[in-house]
PDB file of all heavy atoms in Angstrom:
ATOM      1  N   ASP A   1      -8.582   8.823 -13.861  1.00  0.00           N
ATOM      2  CA  ASP A   1      -7.265   8.267 -14.171  1.00  0.00           C
ATOM      3  C   ASP A   1      -6.372   9.294 -14.870  1.00  0.00           C
ATOM      4  O   ASP A   1      -5.149   9.297 -14.679  1.00  0.00           O
ATOM      5  CB  ASP A   1      -7.395   7.027 -15.062  1.00  0.00           C
ATOM      6  CG  ASP A   1      -7.884   5.808 -14.295  1.00  0.00           C
ATOM      7  OD1 ASP A   1      -7.848   5.834 -13.044  1.00  0.00           O
ATOM      8  OD2 ASP A   1      -8.311   4.833 -14.951  1.00  0.00           O
ATOM      9  N   ASP A   2      -7.001  10.167 -15.657  1.00  0.00           N
ATOM     10  CA  ASP A   2      -6.196  11.122 -16.429  1.00  0.00           C
ATOM     11  C   ASP A   2      -6.606  12.575 -16.217  1.00  0.00           C
ATOM     12  O   ASP A   2      -6.160  13.457 -16.937  1.00  0.00           O
ATOM     13  CB  ASP A   2      -6.266  10.789 -17.930  1.00  0.00           C
ATOM     14  CG  ASP A   2      -7.690  10.831 -18.476  1.00  0.00           C
ATOM     15  OD1 ASP A   2      -8.643  11.056 -17.682  1.00  0.00           O
ATOM     16  OD2 ASP A   2      -7.857  10.627 -19.689  1.00  0.00           O
ATOM     17  N   ARG A   3      -7.480  12.830 -15.241  1.00  0.00           N
ATOM     18  CA  ARG A   3      -7.855  14.222 -14.938  1.00  0.00           C
ATOM     19  C   ARG A   3      -8.311  14.302 -13.489  1.00  0.00           C
ATOM     20  O   ARG A   3      -8.836  13.330 -12.931  1.00  0.00           O
ATOM     21  CB  ARG A   3      -8.962  14.712 -15.874  1.00  0.00           C
ATOM     22  CG  ARG A   3     -10.294  14.034 -15.667  1.00  0.00           C
ATOM     23  CD  ARG A   3     -11.310  14.412 -16.724  1.00  0.00           C
ATOM     24  NE  ARG A   3     -11.890  13.242 -17.315  1.00  0.00           N
ATOM     25  CZ  ARG A   3     -12.990  13.234 -18.056  1.00  0.00           C
ATOM     26  NH1 ARG A   3     -13.611  14.365 -18.300  1.00  0.00           N
ATOM     27  NH2 ARG A   3     -13.453  12.117 -18.552  1.00  0.00           N
ATOM     28  N   PRO A   4      -8.138  15.457 -12.862  1.00  0.00           N
ATOM     29  CA  PRO A   4      -8.582  15.609 -11.472  1.00  0.00           C
ATOM     30  C   PRO A   4     -10.103  15.713 -11.403  1.00  0.00           C
ATOM     31  O   PRO A   4     -10.748  16.209 -12.332  1.00  0.00           O
ATOM     32  CB  PRO A   4      -7.914  16.914 -11.032  1.00  0.00           C
ATOM     33  CG  PRO A   4      -7.676  17.668 -12.294  1.00  0.00           C
ATOM     34  CD  PRO A   4      -7.467  16.655 -13.376  1.00  0.00           C
ATOM     35  N   LYS A   5     -10.669  15.246 -10.312  1.00  0.00           N
ATOM     36  CA  LYS A   5     -12.128  15.227 -10.174  1.00  0.00           C
ATOM     37  C   LYS A   5     -12.767  16.606 -10.356  1.00  0.00           C
ATOM     38  O   LYS A   5     -13.846  16.695 -10.964  1.00  0.00           O
ATOM     39  CB  LYS A   5     -12.530  14.623  -8.822  1.00  0.00           C
ATOM     40  CG  LYS A   5     -14.042  14.509  -8.653  1.00  0.00           C
ATOM     41  CD  LYS A   5     -14.438  13.605  -7.499  1.00  0.00           C
ATOM     42  CE  LYS A   5     -14.002  14.125  -6.167  1.00  0.00           C
ATOM     43  NZ  LYS A   5     -14.574  13.349  -5.047  1.00  0.00           N
ATOM     44  N   PRO A   6     -12.170  17.701  -9.863  1.00  0.00           N
ATOM     45  CA  PRO A   6     -12.823  19.004 -10.066  1.00  0.00           C
ATOM     46  C   PRO A   6     -13.030  19.381 -11.529  1.00  0.00           C
ATOM     47  O   PRO A   6     -13.849  20.254 -11.824  1.00  0.00           O
ATOM     48  CB  PRO A   6     -11.858  19.979  -9.382  1.00  0.00           C
ATOM     49  CG  PRO A   6     -11.177  19.164  -8.336  1.00  0.00           C
ATOM     50  CD  PRO A   6     -11.001  17.811  -8.966  1.00  0.00           C
ATOM     51  N   LEU A   7     -12.317  18.725 -12.439  1.00  0.00           N
ATOM     52  CA  LEU A   7     -12.477  19.032 -13.864  1.00  0.00           C
ATOM     53  C   LEU A   7     -13.407  18.068 -14.574  1.00  0.00           C
ATOM     54  O   LEU A   7     -13.566  18.131 -15.798  1.00  0.00           O
ATOM     55  CB  LEU A   7     -11.111  19.061 -14.557  1.00  0.00           C
ATOM     56  CG  LEU A   7     -10.149  20.157 -14.080  1.00  0.00           C
ATOM     57  CD1 LEU A   7      -8.915  20.211 -14.968  1.00  0.00           C
ATOM     58  CD2 LEU A   7     -10.829  21.532 -14.027  1.00  0.00           C
ATOM     59  N   ILE A   8     -14.051  17.153 -13.829  1.00  0.00           N
ATOM     60  CA  ILE A   8     -15.111  16.329 -14.404  1.00  0.00           C
ATOM     61  C   ILE A   8     -16.294  17.239 -14.729  1.00  0.00           C
ATOM     62  O   ILE A   8     -16.697  18.079 -13.919  1.00  0.00           O
ATOM     63  CB  ILE A   8     -15.553  15.228 -13.416  1.00  0.00           C
ATOM     64  CG1 ILE A   8     -14.393  14.284 -13.102  1.00  0.00           C
ATOM     65  CG2 ILE A   8     -16.756  14.470 -13.943  1.00  0.00           C
ATOM     66  CD1 ILE A   8     -13.970  13.406 -14.250  1.00  0.00           C
ATOM     67  N   ALA A   9     -16.854  17.073 -15.919  1.00  0.00           N
ATOM     68  CA  ALA A   9     -17.972  17.925 -16.340  1.00  0.00           C
ATOM     69  C   ALA A   9     -19.306  17.275 -15.988  1.00  0.00           C
ATOM     70  O   ALA A   9     -19.482  16.067 -16.123  1.00  0.00           O
ATOM     71  CB  ALA A   9     -17.904  18.184 -17.834  1.00  0.00           C
ATOM     72  N   VAL A  10     -20.235  18.098 -15.536  1.00  0.00           N
ATOM     73  CA  VAL A  10     -21.611  17.676 -15.295  1.00  0.00           C
ATOM     74  C   VAL A  10     -22.507  18.801 -15.785  1.00  0.00           C
ATOM     75  O   VAL A  10     -22.291  19.965 -15.458  1.00  0.00           O
ATOM     76  CB  VAL A  10     -21.867  17.345 -13.809  1.00  0.00           C
ATOM     77  CG1 VAL A  10     -21.489  18.484 -12.907  1.00  0.00           C
ATOM     78  CG2 VAL A  10     -23.323  16.944 -13.584  1.00  0.00           C
ATOM     79  N   GLY A  11     -23.473  18.471 -16.623  1.00  0.00           N
ATOM     80  CA  GLY A  11     -24.328  19.504 -17.191  1.00  0.00           C
ATOM     81  C   GLY A  11     -23.571  20.477 -18.071  1.00  0.00           C
ATOM     82  O   GLY A  11     -23.922  21.656 -18.157  1.00  0.00           O
ATOM     83  N   GLY A  12     -22.505  20.004 -18.729  1.00  0.00           N
ATOM     84  CA  GLY A  12     -21.747  20.852 -19.639  1.00  0.00           C
ATOM     85  C   GLY A  12     -20.783  21.814 -18.977  1.00  0.00           C
ATOM     86  O   GLY A  12     -20.228  22.689 -19.645  1.00  0.00           O
ATOM     87  N   LYS A  13     -20.537  21.634 -17.683  1.00  0.00           N
ATOM     88  CA  LYS A  13     -19.649  22.539 -16.948  1.00  0.00           C
ATOM     89  C   LYS A  13     -18.882  21.731 -15.922  1.00  0.00           C
ATOM     90  O   LYS A  13     -19.427  20.802 -15.320  1.00  0.00           O
ATOM     91  CB  LYS A  13     -20.484  23.631 -16.253  1.00  0.00           C
ATOM     92  CG  LYS A  13     -19.688  24.701 -15.542  1.00  0.00           C
ATOM     93  CD  LYS A  13     -20.591  25.596 -14.699  1.00  0.00           C
ATOM     94  CE  LYS A  13     -21.622  26.340 -15.521  1.00  0.00           C
ATOM     95  NZ  LYS A  13     -22.367  27.322 -14.674  1.00  0.00           N
ATOM     96  N   THR A  14     -17.607  22.067 -15.703  1.00  0.00           N
ATOM     97  CA  THR A  14     -16.841  21.315 -14.716  1.00  0.00           C
ATOM     98  C   THR A  14     -17.389  21.564 -13.312  1.00  0.00           C
ATOM     99  O   THR A  14     -17.980  22.611 -13.031  1.00  0.00           O
ATOM    100  CB  THR A  14     -15.354  21.700 -14.733  1.00  0.00           C
ATOM    101  OG1 THR A  14     -15.190  23.031 -14.224  1.00  0.00           O
ATOM    102  CG2 THR A  14     -14.763  21.589 -16.129  1.00  0.00           C
ATOM    103  N   LEU A  15     -17.166  20.569 -12.441  1.00  0.00           N
ATOM    104  CA  LEU A  15     -17.565  20.730 -11.044  1.00  0.00           C
ATOM    105  C   LEU A  15     -16.954  21.992 -10.453  1.00  0.00           C
ATOM    106  O   LEU A  15     -17.616  22.739  -9.718  1.00  0.00           O
ATOM    107  CB  LEU A  15     -17.127  19.509 -10.239  1.00  0.00           C
ATOM    108  CG  LEU A  15     -17.845  18.198 -10.540  1.00  0.00           C
ATOM    109  CD1 LEU A  15     -17.102  17.025  -9.898  1.00  0.00           C
ATOM    110  CD2 LEU A  15     -19.283  18.243 -10.047  1.00  0.00           C
ATOM    111  N   LEU A  16     -15.690  22.239 -10.764  1.00  0.00           N
ATOM    112  CA  LEU A  16     -15.012  23.413 -10.231  1.00  0.00           C
ATOM    113  C   LEU A  16     -15.678  24.701 -10.696  1.00  0.00           C
ATOM    114  O   LEU A  16     -15.890  25.629  -9.899  1.00  0.00           O
ATOM    115  CB  LEU A  16     -13.546  23.383 -10.660  1.00  0.00           C
ATOM    116  CG  LEU A  16     -12.630  24.484 -10.118  1.00  0.00           C
ATOM    117  CD1 LEU A  16     -12.676  24.553  -8.601  1.00  0.00           C
ATOM    118  CD2 LEU A  16     -11.196  24.250 -10.602  1.00  0.00           C
ATOM    119  N   ASP A  17     -16.050  24.767 -11.967  1.00  0.00           N
ATOM    120  CA  ASP A  17     -16.696  25.981 -12.479  1.00  0.00           C
ATOM    121  C   ASP A  17     -18.098  26.172 -11.911  1.00  0.00           C
ATOM    122  O   ASP A  17     -18.539  27.309 -11.727  1.00  0.00           O
ATOM    123  CB  ASP A  17     -16.733  25.953 -14.008  1.00  0.00           C
ATOM    124  CG  ASP A  17     -15.368  26.240 -14.613  1.00  0.00           C
ATOM    125  OD1 ASP A  17     -14.688  27.163 -14.139  1.00  0.00           O
ATOM    126  OD2 ASP A  17     -14.971  25.535 -15.563  1.00  0.00           O
ATOM    127  N   HIS A  18     -18.806  25.073 -11.647  1.00  0.00           N
ATOM    128  CA  HIS A  18     -20.099  25.209 -10.971  1.00  0.00           C
ATOM    129  C   HIS A  18     -19.913  25.991  -9.660  1.00  0.00           C
ATOM    130  O   HIS A  18     -20.674  26.918  -9.355  1.00  0.00           O
ATOM    131  CB  HIS A  18     -20.693  23.831 -10.656  1.00  0.00           C
ATOM    132  CG  HIS A  18     -21.460  23.211 -11.778  1.00  0.00           C
ATOM    133  ND1 HIS A  18     -22.729  23.627 -12.138  1.00  0.00           N
ATOM    134  CD2 HIS A  18     -21.145  22.192 -12.625  1.00  0.00           C
ATOM    135  CE1 HIS A  18     -23.164  22.901 -13.150  1.00  0.00           C
ATOM    136  NE2 HIS A  18     -22.223  22.018 -13.465  1.00  0.00           N
ATOM    137  N   ASN A  19     -18.904  25.601  -8.882  1.00  0.00           N
ATOM    138  CA  ASN A  19     -18.678  26.249  -7.593  1.00  0.00           C
ATOM    139  C   ASN A  19     -18.187  27.681  -7.740  1.00  0.00           C
ATOM    140  O   ASN A  19     -18.637  28.588  -7.026  1.00  0.00           O
ATOM    141  CB  ASN A  19     -17.679  25.421  -6.776  1.00  0.00           C
ATOM    142  CG  ASN A  19     -18.307  24.203  -6.143  1.00  0.00           C
ATOM    143  OD1 ASN A  19     -18.972  24.299  -5.118  1.00  0.00           O
ATOM    144  ND2 ASN A  19     -18.122  23.046  -6.751  1.00  0.00           N
ATOM    145  N   LEU A  20     -17.267  27.909  -8.645  1.00  0.00           N
ATOM    146  CA  LEU A  20     -16.736  29.261  -8.831  1.00  0.00           C
ATOM    147  C   LEU A  20     -17.803  30.206  -9.366  1.00  0.00           C
ATOM    148  O   LEU A  20     -17.839  31.389  -8.990  1.00  0.00           O
ATOM    149  CB  LEU A  20     -15.529  29.211  -9.756  1.00  0.00           C
ATOM    150  CG  LEU A  20     -14.301  28.506  -9.169  1.00  0.00           C
ATOM    151  CD1 LEU A  20     -13.226  28.343 -10.240  1.00  0.00           C
ATOM    152  CD2 LEU A  20     -13.745  29.264  -7.963  1.00  0.00           C
ATOM    153  N   ASP A  21     -18.687  29.707 -10.225  1.00  0.00           N
ATOM    154  CA  ASP A  21     -19.781  30.552 -10.708  1.00  0.00           C
ATOM    155  C   ASP A  21     -20.719  30.934  -9.574  1.00  0.00           C
ATOM    156  O   ASP A  21     -21.218  32.075  -9.519  1.00  0.00           O
ATOM    157  CB  ASP A  21     -20.558  29.830 -11.816  1.00  0.00           C
ATOM    158  CG  ASP A  21     -19.785  29.756 -13.128  1.00  0.00           C
ATOM    159  OD1 ASP A  21     -18.753  30.435 -13.252  1.00  0.00           O
ATOM    160  OD2 ASP A  21     -20.228  29.000 -14.022  1.00  0.00           O
ATOM    161  N   ARG A  22     -20.986  30.000  -8.647  1.00  0.00           N
ATOM    162  CA  ARG A  22     -21.825  30.318  -7.491  1.00  0.00           C
ATOM    163  C   ARG A  22     -21.168  31.426  -6.648  1.00  0.00           C
ATOM    164  O   ARG A  22     -21.839  32.338  -6.161  1.00  0.00           O
ATOM    165  CB  ARG A  22     -22.026  29.080  -6.618  1.00  0.00           C
ATOM    166  CG  ARG A  22     -22.848  27.979  -7.242  1.00  0.00           C
ATOM    167  CD  ARG A  22     -24.298  28.366  -7.375  1.00  0.00           C
ATOM    168  NE  ARG A  22     -25.131  27.232  -7.737  1.00  0.00           N
ATOM    169  CZ  ARG A  22     -26.268  27.329  -8.392  1.00  0.00           C
ATOM    170  NH1 ARG A  22     -26.694  28.524  -8.768  1.00  0.00           N
ATOM    171  NH2 ARG A  22     -26.989  26.272  -8.688  1.00  0.00           N
ATOM    172  N   LEU A  23     -19.867  31.313  -6.471  1.00  0.00           N
ATOM    173  CA  LEU A  23     -19.156  32.326  -5.684  1.00  0.00           C
ATOM    174  C   LEU A  23     -19.214  33.684  -6.374  1.00  0.00           C
ATOM    175  O   LEU A  23     -19.420  34.715  -5.714  1.00  0.00           O
ATOM    176  CB  LEU A  23     -17.703  31.903  -5.472  1.00  0.00           C
ATOM    177  CG  LEU A  23     -17.497  30.696  -4.559  1.00  0.00           C
ATOM    178  CD1 LEU A  23     -16.031  30.273  -4.567  1.00  0.00           C
ATOM    179  CD2 LEU A  23     -17.945  31.002  -3.130  1.00  0.00           C
ATOM    180  N   ALA A  24     -19.044  33.703  -7.676  1.00  0.00           N
ATOM    181  CA  ALA A  24     -19.116  34.963  -8.411  1.00  0.00           C
ATOM    182  C   ALA A  24     -20.492  35.601  -8.275  1.00  0.00           C
ATOM    183  O   ALA A  24     -20.623  36.822  -8.065  1.00  0.00           O
ATOM    184  CB  ALA A  24     -18.776  34.732  -9.880  1.00  0.00           C
ATOM    185  N   GLU A  25     -21.539  34.772  -8.370  1.00  0.00           N
ATOM    186  CA  GLU A  25     -22.911  35.281  -8.229  1.00  0.00           C
ATOM    187  C   GLU A  25     -23.144  35.895  -6.852  1.00  0.00           C
ATOM    188  O   GLU A  25     -23.934  36.829  -6.707  1.00  0.00           O
ATOM    189  CB  GLU A  25     -23.911  34.151  -8.450  1.00  0.00           C
ATOM    190  CG  GLU A  25     -23.971  33.619  -9.868  1.00  0.00           C
ATOM    191  CD  GLU A  25     -24.731  32.303  -9.972  1.00  0.00           C
ATOM    192  OE1 GLU A  25     -25.216  31.792  -8.930  1.00  0.00           O
ATOM    193  OE2 GLU A  25     -24.832  31.771 -11.095  1.00  0.00           O
ATOM    194  N   ALA A  26     -22.464  35.352  -5.838  1.00  0.00           N
ATOM    195  CA  ALA A  26     -22.625  35.846  -4.466  1.00  0.00           C
ATOM    196  C   ALA A  26     -21.728  37.038  -4.160  1.00  0.00           C
ATOM    197  O   ALA A  26     -21.705  37.520  -3.028  1.00  0.00           O
ATOM    198  CB  ALA A  26     -22.344  34.721  -3.472  1.00  0.00           C
ATOM    199  N   GLY A  27     -20.977  37.504  -5.144  1.00  0.00           N
ATOM    200  CA  GLY A  27     -20.147  38.670  -4.945  1.00  0.00           C
ATOM    201  C   GLY A  27     -18.808  38.406  -4.284  1.00  0.00           C
ATOM    202  O   GLY A  27     -18.167  39.341  -3.783  1.00  0.00           O
ATOM    203  N   ILE A  28     -18.375  37.140  -4.269  1.00  0.00           N
ATOM    204  CA  ILE A  28     -17.090  36.806  -3.676  1.00  0.00           C
ATOM    205  C   ILE A  28     -15.979  37.252  -4.619  1.00  0.00           C
ATOM    206  O   ILE A  28     -15.947  36.853  -5.795  1.00  0.00           O
ATOM    207  CB  ILE A  28     -16.983  35.296  -3.398  1.00  0.00           C
ATOM    208  CG1 ILE A  28     -18.135  34.845  -2.485  1.00  0.00           C
ATOM    209  CG2 ILE A  28     -15.633  34.949  -2.792  1.00  0.00           C
ATOM    210  CD1 ILE A  28     -18.198  35.559  -1.147  1.00  0.00           C
ATOM    211  N   GLY A  29     -15.042  38.047  -4.109  1.00  0.00           N
ATOM    212  CA  GLY A  29     -14.012  38.624  -4.970  1.00  0.00           C
ATOM    213  C   GLY A  29     -12.821  37.729  -5.215  1.00  0.00           C
ATOM    214  O   GLY A  29     -12.209  37.782  -6.283  1.00  0.00           O
ATOM    215  N   THR A  30     -12.466  36.899  -4.217  1.00  0.00           N
ATOM    216  CA  THR A  30     -11.272  36.063  -4.319  1.00  0.00           C
ATOM    217  C   THR A  30     -11.586  34.651  -3.864  1.00  0.00           C
ATOM    218  O   THR A  30     -12.219  34.454  -2.826  1.00  0.00           O
ATOM    219  CB  THR A  30     -10.129  36.627  -3.446  1.00  0.00           C
ATOM    220  OG1 THR A  30      -9.799  37.944  -3.895  1.00  0.00           O
ATOM    221  CG2 THR A  30      -8.892  35.742  -3.528  1.00  0.00           C
ATOM    222  N   ALA A  31     -11.130  33.670  -4.647  1.00  0.00           N
ATOM    223  CA  ALA A  31     -11.271  32.262  -4.275  1.00  0.00           C
ATOM    224  C   ALA A  31      -9.900  31.603  -4.295  1.00  0.00           C
ATOM    225  O   ALA A  31      -9.189  31.660  -5.303  1.00  0.00           O
ATOM    226  CB  ALA A  31     -12.215  31.542  -5.235  1.00  0.00           C
ATOM    227  N   ILE A  32      -9.524  30.996  -3.182  1.00  0.00           N
ATOM    228  CA  ILE A  32      -8.290  30.220  -3.106  1.00  0.00           C
ATOM    229  C   ILE A  32      -8.645  28.778  -3.431  1.00  0.00           C
ATOM    230  O   ILE A  32      -9.548  28.194  -2.819  1.00  0.00           O
ATOM    231  CB  ILE A  32      -7.655  30.320  -1.717  1.00  0.00           C
ATOM    232  CG1 ILE A  32      -7.339  31.786  -1.380  1.00  0.00           C
ATOM    233  CG2 ILE A  32      -6.387  29.474  -1.629  1.00  0.00           C
ATOM    234  CD1 ILE A  32      -6.846  32.002   0.034  1.00  0.00           C
ATOM    235  N   VAL A  33      -7.962  28.203  -4.408  1.00  0.00           N
ATOM    236  CA  VAL A  33      -8.217  26.829  -4.843  1.00  0.00           C
ATOM    237  C   VAL A  33      -6.972  26.005  -4.543  1.00  0.00           C
ATOM    238  O   VAL A  33      -5.891  26.315  -5.064  1.00  0.00           O
ATOM    239  CB  VAL A  33      -8.546  26.781  -6.353  1.00  0.00           C
ATOM    240  CG1 VAL A  33      -8.810  25.338  -6.788  1.00  0.00           C
ATOM    241  CG2 VAL A  33      -9.744  27.666  -6.677  1.00  0.00           C
ATOM    242  N   ASN A  34      -7.107  24.974  -3.718  1.00  0.00           N
ATOM    243  CA  ASN A  34      -5.934  24.144  -3.456  1.00  0.00           C
ATOM    244  C   ASN A  34      -5.877  22.976  -4.441  1.00  0.00           C
ATOM    245  O   ASN A  34      -6.908  22.478  -4.909  1.00  0.00           O
ATOM    246  CB  ASN A  34      -5.867  23.675  -1.995  1.00  0.00           C
ATOM    247  CG  ASN A  34      -6.975  22.727  -1.599  1.00  0.00           C
ATOM    248  OD1 ASN A  34      -7.990  22.581  -2.275  1.00  0.00           O
ATOM    249  ND2 ASN A  34      -6.791  22.067  -0.464  1.00  0.00           N
ATOM    250  N   VAL A  35      -4.664  22.580  -4.798  1.00  0.00           N
ATOM    251  CA  VAL A  35      -4.469  21.543  -5.810  1.00  0.00           C
ATOM    252  C   VAL A  35      -3.409  20.556  -5.329  1.00  0.00           C
ATOM    253  O   VAL A  35      -2.483  20.915  -4.599  1.00  0.00           O
ATOM    254  CB  VAL A  35      -4.044  22.145  -7.169  1.00  0.00           C
ATOM    255  CG1 VAL A  35      -5.144  23.029  -7.736  1.00  0.00           C
ATOM    256  CG2 VAL A  35      -2.740  22.944  -7.050  1.00  0.00           C
ATOM    257  N   HIS A  36      -3.562  19.295  -5.745  1.00  0.00           N
ATOM    258  CA  HIS A  36      -2.577  18.261  -5.421  1.00  0.00           C
ATOM    259  C   HIS A  36      -2.455  17.257  -6.564  1.00  0.00           C
ATOM    260  O   HIS A  36      -1.384  17.108  -7.130  1.00  0.00           O
ATOM    261  CB  HIS A  36      -2.967  17.536  -4.129  1.00  0.00           C
ATOM    262  CG  HIS A  36      -2.093  16.367  -3.813  1.00  0.00           C
ATOM    263  ND1 HIS A  36      -0.843  16.497  -3.251  1.00  0.00           N
ATOM    264  CD2 HIS A  36      -2.275  15.023  -4.016  1.00  0.00           C
ATOM    265  CE1 HIS A  36      -0.291  15.298  -3.103  1.00  0.00           C
ATOM    266  NE2 HIS A  36      -1.138  14.386  -3.563  1.00  0.00           N
ATOM    267  N   TYR A  37      -3.546  16.592  -6.904  1.00  0.00           N
ATOM    268  CA  TYR A  37      -3.530  15.554  -7.941  1.00  0.00           C
ATOM    269  C   TYR A  37      -3.672  16.196  -9.317  1.00  0.00           C
ATOM    270  O   TYR A  37      -4.614  16.964  -9.552  1.00  0.00           O
ATOM    271  CB  TYR A  37      -4.666  14.567  -7.678  1.00  0.00           C
ATOM    272  CG  TYR A  37      -4.834  13.496  -8.724  1.00  0.00           C
ATOM    273  CD1 TYR A  37      -3.819  12.583  -8.971  1.00  0.00           C
ATOM    274  CD2 TYR A  37      -6.007  13.397  -9.453  1.00  0.00           C
ATOM    275  CE1 TYR A  37      -3.969  11.586  -9.931  1.00  0.00           C
ATOM    276  CE2 TYR A  37      -6.180  12.408 -10.404  1.00  0.00           C
ATOM    277  CZ  TYR A  37      -5.147  11.510 -10.645  1.00  0.00           C
ATOM    278  OH  TYR A  37      -5.312  10.535 -11.593  1.00  0.00           O
ATOM    279  N   LEU A  38      -2.733  15.912 -10.220  1.00  0.00           N
ATOM    280  CA  LEU A  38      -2.711  16.508 -11.560  1.00  0.00           C
ATOM    281  C   LEU A  38      -2.951  18.015 -11.489  1.00  0.00           C
ATOM    282  O   LEU A  38      -3.828  18.562 -12.168  1.00  0.00           O
ATOM    283  CB  LEU A  38      -3.752  15.826 -12.462  1.00  0.00           C
ATOM    284  CG  LEU A  38      -3.578  14.312 -12.651  1.00  0.00           C
ATOM    285  CD1 LEU A  38      -4.752  13.740 -13.450  1.00  0.00           C
ATOM    286  CD2 LEU A  38      -2.263  14.000 -13.341  1.00  0.00           C
ATOM    287  N   PRO A  39      -2.159  18.707 -10.669  1.00  0.00           N
ATOM    288  CA  PRO A  39      -2.424  20.118 -10.395  1.00  0.00           C
ATOM    289  C   PRO A  39      -2.299  21.025 -11.611  1.00  0.00           C
ATOM    290  O   PRO A  39      -3.018  22.025 -11.714  1.00  0.00           O
ATOM    291  CB  PRO A  39      -1.382  20.472  -9.332  1.00  0.00           C
ATOM    292  CG  PRO A  39      -0.261  19.511  -9.576  1.00  0.00           C
ATOM    293  CD  PRO A  39      -0.937  18.234  -9.996  1.00  0.00           C
TER     294      PRO A  39
END
């Protein structure tokens, strides 16, 4: 109701950061993140 789902925390980390950390570990240099709700 007051925050976008990617910023919901699970295990002390937002869903979005879980994914971005995985990308960083894999050596991905750039991530495009699209936003719409509470951008």
Side-chain angles (χ1 to χ4, degrees):
D1 285 345
D2 60 357
R3 68 187 128 165
K5 183 165 64 171
L7 296 188
I8 298 291
V10 54
K13 185 189 298 187
T14 70
L15 291 167
L16 184 54
D17 285 316
H18 275 285
N19 282 281
L20 292 172
D21 287 349
R22 292 290 191 207
L23 291 173
E25 292 167 0
I28 303 302
T30 299
I32 301 174
V33 180
N34 66 345
V35 296
H36 174 79
Y37 176 62
L38 301 174

